[in-house]
Amino acid sequence: MRISARADYAVRAALQLAAARDAGPLKAEAIAEDQGISHKFLEGILGDMRKGGLVESQRGGRGGYWLARPADTISVADVIRCVDGPLVSVRGERPPDLTYTGPAESLLPLWIALRASVREVLGVSLAEVASAQLPPPIAARADDPEAWTNP
């Protein structure tokens, strides 16, 4: 699976907003500076997240961006889907829309299992990530030294 720069930046911005929930709106410039993201690129991402219902915004001196819902109700997957579309696709198609024959027939359940695994991991809420409180099964996967190596 490949996480695009756009998705990475969107999740980082959403985490910044989750961490500042009680501080009021955050300016895009501040998020961009804190996260080392191009301000112009981030503005486009935040615009998509606003259209997708994940953030709200207000213009003006006291304006900025904030999460549209509590951080514990927004998953990392929600953010990625908002800016990049489906989490898992094969040749641009969703796995249930695919058909295979012969020895490739068992690919479909493999893609479905992959999608379920990705949903499980990316189903972690922004609140959990922002507070460094990953669910035990996810934390255990990350604690496995083999997870950190490339085959």
Side-chain angles (χ1 to χ4, degrees):
M1 178 177 178
R2 182 180 168 276
I3 303 293
S4 70
R6 185 173 184 76
D8 178 55
Y9 295 168
V11 172
R12 288 165 50 194
L15 289 169
Q16 193 87 24
L17 294 171
R21 181 77 179 175
D22 298 327
L26 290 182
K27 302 258 185 231
E29 298 88 11
I31 298 169
E33 185 175 322
D34 286 350
Q35 292 298 320
I37 301 169
S38 158
H39 174 249
K40 186 172 179 93
F41 193 40
L42 182 61
E43 283 283 359
I45 291 168
L46 289 167
D48 287 346
M49 292 171 67
R50 187 178 50 72
K51 289 175 194 161
L54 294 182
V55 301
E56 293 181 3
S57 64
Q58 178 179 321
R59 294 179 187 244
R62 295 183 153 198
Y65 293 88
W66 62 92
L67 293 177
R69 304 190 317 255
D72 63 350
T73 68
I74 301 173
S75 70
V76 172
D78 292 334
V79 177
I80 294 172
R81 281 188 198 104
C82 185
V83 298
D84 269 357
L87 297 175
V88 174
S89 65
V90 179
R91 301 182 325 265
E93 295 184 53
R94 294 172 189 246
D97 297 334
L98 301 169
T99 55
Y100 295 100
T101 59
E105 245 180 299
S106 61
L107 267 179
L108 184 56
L110 181 72
W111 298 151
I112 297 295
L114 171 66
R115 183 173 71 165
S117 295
V118 169
R119 283 179 175 170
E120 178 187 349
V121 172
L122 296 181
V124 173
S125 76
L126 294 177
E128 291 169 312
V129 178
S131 66
Q133 298 294 316
L134 296 178
I138 306 303
R141 286 185 192 201
D143 287 342
D144 179 359
E146 290 295 315
W148 293 83
T149 62
N150 293 326

